[in-house]
Amino acid sequence: GPLVMVSVSLRVLFIVAVLRATDAFLANGIIPGTLSKATTTVGHRALRLVTSPLALRAQTGTEDLSEEDKAKGKKLADAWIKSDKVNECKAALQGSSVYLFGLPGCRSKDIGLAMARRLETYRFLDVVEVMGAAVDKPDAPGAPALLADLGEEAFREVEAAVLDQIQGMVRCVVACDPGVVRERRNWAKLQQGIVVRLQASSAELSERSGLSTQELAEMEEELGELMAQADVHVTLQKDAALDELAVSVMEATLDTIQKNPPKRKEWEETHQQQMAEWEAKQEKKEKKEKKKGFGN
C-alpha cells in the first residue's frame, strides 16, 4: 500500500545518502579505507617513466632476450595498453555512470565489479541488492527470489524508486535486472548514463544461469527488442578472464562515445519522448481509476 511504498522510499533515500557520503572522496580520487589516490592518473604516468631493466633491454633489441623475458615484456606492454584504454574510457565518460544488463548468466555483477576496480574512482552498485536492502530483505539470493517475494508490480515499483535515486549519482557502474527494460520510465533514468547490453551464446548463458536454452529464448523474444535500445552492445568472449571482459566493455564504450558524439542529444530526445508517452499513459490510467471511483 501507500504507507509501505513511503517506507521503502525512505529506506532507498537513506541507502543512497550513505553511498553519496563517499562521493566527495571518490570525486577527488580518494578511496575510503585506503591511501589517497588523488594522484592516480599522475601516478600511472610516473610509473611509466620508471623503466625496468627488462624494458631497457627490450628497447635495444629482443635478440638477446630469452623467451621467458620476451613473454614478460609482451605481458607488460599489454598491461600498459589496457591501462591506457581504461584511462581513455574514464576521461570520455566524464563522470557519467554505466548501466549494465543482459539475459541471466551474462555476469553483469562480476563484470561491473571488475570495471569499477579498473576505473578506480567509480563505485559499483547492484540494483537488486539495493532493492533488497530497501525492503529489509538484504539476504535475498537474487532477483527471482525478491520478485517471488514481492510480486511483479511491487518489485518494479521498488526498482523504479531505486533508479530514481541512482540516476542522480555520478561515477557508478550499475548492474540491472534484465526486466528493467520493460518499464519505459526506467529508460529516461538509464539514459542519464551509458547503457550497455552484455550478450553471450545461449549455451554459455544457460550454463551460468541454470535456465534452459528454451527459457532464455523466450526471454530474448520478450525483451530483445527493448534491450536493443542500449547504447553499447558487447558480445562476451567465452572463457575470457573477468578483467579481460571488463576491459572489452570499456573499449566498446569508448569506441561508441568517440564515434557518436552527436548521438547523445538524439538519445536524450528519444527518451524524453518515451517518458512523455509513459506519463500520458499514467495520466490516462489515473483518470480511468478516478472515474471508476466516482462510479462506486
Side-chain angles (χ1 to χ4, degrees):
L3 289 176
V4 173
M5 286 311 299
V6 169
S7 174
V8 168
S9 296
L10 289 173
R11 283 178 179 273
V12 171
L13 285 170
F14 174 75
I15 292 165
V16 173
V18 172
L19 291 169
R20 282 180 172 166
T22 63
D23 201 46
F25 292 101
L26 290 167
N28 292 301
I30 301 171
I31 301 174
T34 71
L35 295 176
S36 171
K37 300 290 185 183
T39 57
T40 294
T41 305
V42 176
H44 276 310
R45 295 186 186 282
L47 281 172
R48 293 191 190 108
L49 295 175
V50 181
T51 310
S52 68
L54 177 61
L56 284 172
R57 289 171 66 193
Q59 287 172 8
T60 62
T62 59
E63 59 276 355
D64 60 337
L65 290 176
S66 68
E67 288 302 318
E68 184 181 356
D69 280 350
K70 286 179 183 178
K72 286 180 180 177
K74 184 179 183 305
K75 188 175 180 181
L76 183 61
D78 289 345
W80 282 353
I81 290 168
K82 283 183 187 178
S83 183
D84 282 339
K85 283 291 184 184
V86 170
N87 286 333
E88 280 186 69
C89 181
K90 183 159 62 172
L93 284 169
Q94 297 180 356
S96 296
S97 292
V98 180
Y99 295 88
L100 307 174
F101 62 62
L103 293 178
C106 72
R107 304 178 74 186
S108 59
K109 182 176 179 178
D110 293 337
I111 292 170
L113 277 165
M115 286 176 64
R117 281 196 294 269
R118 273 283 189 173
L119 290 167
E120 295 179 322
T121 57
Y122 274 60
R123 69 164 62 83
F124 171 77
L125 295 173
D126 183 331
V127 170
V128 174
E129 285 185 359
V130 178
M131 288 171 62
V135 296
D136 202 23
K137 297 181 185 297
D139 298 324
L146 201 58
L147 183 61
D149 199 350
L150 297 177
E152 178 75 29
E153 186 176 351
F155 181 94
R156 296 303 167 194
E157 287 298 325
V158 176
E159 180 180 62
V162 167
L163 287 172
D164 272 337
Q165 297 303 315
I166 291 178
Q167 71 166 336
M169 301 171 71
V170 294
R171 294 182 300 279
C172 294
V173 181
V174 186
C176 304
D177 175 72
V180 72
V181 301
R182 285 194 181 99
E183 300 280 337
R184 284 195 177 274
R185 56 180 166 172
N186 290 341
W187 277 102
K189 302 163 192 174
L190 297 177
Q191 286 294 342
Q192 297 300 313
I194 302 293
V195 186
V196 180
R197 180 187 183 183
L198 304 176
Q199 297 173 275
S201 68
S202 57
E204 188 177 354
L205 292 174
S206 177
E207 183 181 343
R208 292 190 179 281
S209 68
L211 297 176
S212 68
T213 54
Q214 178 61 35
E215 288 173 309
L216 290 166
E218 289 170 1
M219 288 186 73
E220 175 65 31
E221 185 176 353
E222 178 191 1
L223 304 175
E225 190 175 334
L226 295 169
M227 288 185 172
Q229 295 180 45
D231 306 325
V232 184
H233 297 257
V234 181
T235 300
L236 304 174
Q237 186 179 347
K238 188 177 180 182
D239 299 327
L242 196 55
D243 184 64
E244 293 279 348
L245 295 175
V247 172
S248 71
V249 172
M250 286 184 275
E251 286 179 338
T253 301
L254 173 63
D255 187 56
T256 298
I257 293 172
Q258 290 176 335
K259 288 182 178 178
N260 302 285
K263 249 197 161 183
R264 295 297 300 167
K265 187 174 180 182
E266 181 188 327
W267 289 334
E268 286 176 13
E269 289 173 353
T270 299
H271 288 285
Q272 281 175 2
Q273 182 182 347
Q274 289 174 343
M275 189 65 177
E277 289 174 2
W278 179 82
E279 287 174 347
K281 184 180 177 183
Q282 287 297 107
E283 188 178 347
K284 188 177 179 181
K285 183 180 177 183
E286 287 171 9
K287 283 181 180 178
K288 187 177 180 181
E289 287 176 353
K290 277 185 181 179
K291 189 179 285 187
K292 185 179 179 182
F294 287 134
N296 293 334

